[in-house]
Amino acid sequence: MRTWVAPGRVNIIGEHTDYNDGYVLPIALPLVTRCAAAPRTDGSVRVGSRQRPGEPVLVAVSDLAAERARMPGWARYPLGVVAEFIRRGHRIPGVDLDLDGAVPIGAGLSSSAALSCAVAIALRDLFAPGLTDRTLIDVARAAENDYVGAPTGLLDQSAAMLCTAGHALLLDVRAFAADTAAPRGSGHEQIPFDLAAFGLELLVIDTGQPHELADGRYAERRDQCAAAAAALGAGTLRDVTVTDVGRIADDVLRRRARHVVTENARVLAVAEKLRRSADPRGIGPILTAGHASLRDDFEVSTPALDAAVDAALAAGAHGARMVGGGFGGSVVALVDQDRTATVVEAVRRRFAGEGLPEPRTFVVVPAAGAHRIG
């Protein structure tokens, strides 16, 4: 067997903008999902996971579509990628897939895209070596949308495939989605993101409250965004201004749209500050403003996420915000290296005082996208 890896991601800024044709700014994490893969000749797909010992799945390639409903939830991600390859006309006579994930599940760090992209790049190298990274992004997203039932945008899969070490990925989703033929797609730019040079760290605070994109609330937000755009006669909220937002009569739809429009502006502002090699401390207030918007206008935060943000800021973080789809997951905080331990302790004390489980905390640096390691 050979082995491929794909990383989780943290979004510096840009939540719920990807499916609105907007802008996002993620980095890849050093935490990865590993996929060891080898061809089979018996027409079967076998999937095993180190996190699910004793629960291997074996299904005939020809039965992937028909058997989807009876597959365990965790196995639908890799099986969905296999099914999507076959749907697109690529011949897979059978394959063994052994998985091992280090990206925390349900933490808003895109463990699902790491899994899907690790499998996609393995299948590409084994069975369809001519496919581009851009095509694999589409394959992985289609697998999550259609086989799993999680209506994700392009953000997570693009970050897992395209991020590079030491950089944040500025993705213009509209431009990127329109250029499906380019080897790596257009509409994206690698932005240097070297916090250590300024004595800073990016701290991730996993609240331990998992979120689930397939539970309906994420899809509801997508529908509300589409309805807000339609109320203004726009194709997507990418084409809407803050002034336009004020014309939306429905209060909920107006607030949803206001988040997306202002979040796009925040992404571009952060990218510009980083491009100028300015002190990254300057992006801190923008991150915090993004959290307030997600909490108040988009209503996807939780008391635990709010507590983590508030405690981190009170302990000296330059900025903090929830990351991911919301309704649980993690917070990122921009902190001075010599204050990281203080911020961590402050968050732990806050959680203990509110009867919340102890959070998991770790520092991350921008890592590489999906690749083969052996």
Side-chain angles (χ1 to χ4, degrees):
M1 278 190 161
R2 289 178 283 175
T3 302
W4 292 260
V5 298
R9 66 100 186 97
V10 143
N11 209 16
I12 305 305
I13 191 77
E15 302 298 355
H16 293 276
T17 51
D18 59 335
Y19 55 80
N20 288 290
D21 277 356
Y23 302 94
V24 292
L25 190 70
I27 63 170
L29 300 178
L31 304 172
V32 301
T33 292
R34 295 171 178 259
C35 175
R40 293 172 69 107
T41 59
D42 63 354
S44 298
V45 181
R46 185 194 63 80
V47 182
S49 169
R50 186 172 181 182
Q51 283 67 51
R52 302 280 182 167
E55 298 182 37
V57 171
L58 183 69
V59 59
V61 171
S62 59
D63 291 339
L64 281 170
E67 295 294 318
R68 181 184 71 85
R70 75 172 187 87
M71 293 295 110
W74 69 269
R76 292 182 188 177
Y77 291 91
L79 293 176
V81 176
V82 180
E84 185 63 18
F85 266 78
I86 293 168
R87 190 190 71 80
R88 294 176 182 230
H90 303 290
R91 183 175 180 273
I92 297 180
V95 66
D96 279 317
L97 301 170
D98 286 319
L99 308 169
D100 185 7
V103 185
I105 296 172
L109 305 178
S110 205
S111 60
S112 59
L115 171 54
S116 299
C117 289
V119 173
I121 194 172
L123 295 180
R124 189 265 304 274
D125 290 359
L126 290 174
F127 302 108
L131 297 183
T132 64
D133 290 348
R134 180 66 185 82
T135 298
L136 292 189
I137 291 167
D138 280 340
V139 166
R141 181 176 67 158
E144 292 200 45
N145 289 178
D146 301 334
Y147 203 85
V148 180
T152 65
L154 279 170
L155 162 61
D156 297 345
Q157 298 82 9
S158 297
M161 292 299 303
L162 299 179
C163 280
T164 61
H167 296 81
L169 177 75
L170 175 61
L171 189 70
D172 177 341
V173 174
R174 169 173 285 173
F176 186 74
D179 191 5
T180 58
R184 292 182 67 83
S186 63
H188 70 279
E189 177 187 352
Q190 303 291 345
I191 306 286
F193 192 62
D194 183 4
L195 295 182
F198 294 88
L200 294 167
E201 291 181 327
L202 192 66
L203 176 68
V204 174
I205 304 162
D206 178 1
T207 66
Q209 295 185 338
H211 76 147
E212 175 56 67
L213 294 185
D215 69 0
R217 291 179 293 178
Y218 182 92
E220 179 186 49
R221 294 304 187 277
R222 290 192 65 149
D223 291 342
Q224 290 168 340
C225 288
L232 294 169
T236 72
L237 291 177
R238 166 69 175 265
D239 301 314
V240 170
T241 68
V242 172
T243 300
D244 293 332
V245 168
R247 296 192 287 109
I248 300 175
D250 183 271
D251 177 64
V252 171
L253 298 186
R254 185 170 59 252
R255 288 186 289 112
R256 302 296 188 257
R258 184 167 58 208
H259 165 73
V260 173
V261 172
T262 58
E263 186 81 343
N264 277 326
R266 284 186 285 271
V267 174
L268 296 179
V270 169
E272 183 57 28
K273 284 182 179 293
L274 295 177
R275 267 196 214 98
R276 295 201 311 261
S277 299
D279 187 335
R281 290 171 179 82
I283 74 172
I286 305 175
L287 304 188
T288 304
H291 181 77
S293 182
L294 287 160
R295 181 192 64 213
D296 301 334
D297 280 346
F298 222 67
E299 296 182 289
V300 293
S301 190
T302 66
L305 291 168
D306 294 341
V309 168
D310 292 345
L313 293 172
H318 298 285
R321 58 180 290 272
M322 58 151 284
V323 296
F327 311 110
S330 298
V331 161
V332 290
L334 182 67
V335 299
D336 292 318
Q337 289 175 336
D338 60 4
R339 295 286 298 175
T340 300
T342 300
V343 171
V344 168
E345 181 58 28
V347 173
R348 286 178 174 162
R349 285 200 306 269
R350 175 71 174 268
F351 273 46
E354 297 190 8
L356 296 168
E358 182 172 350
R360 178 187 178 192
T361 60
F362 48 95
V363 171
V364 296
V365 296
H371 60 282
R372 180 183 161 188
I373 62 170

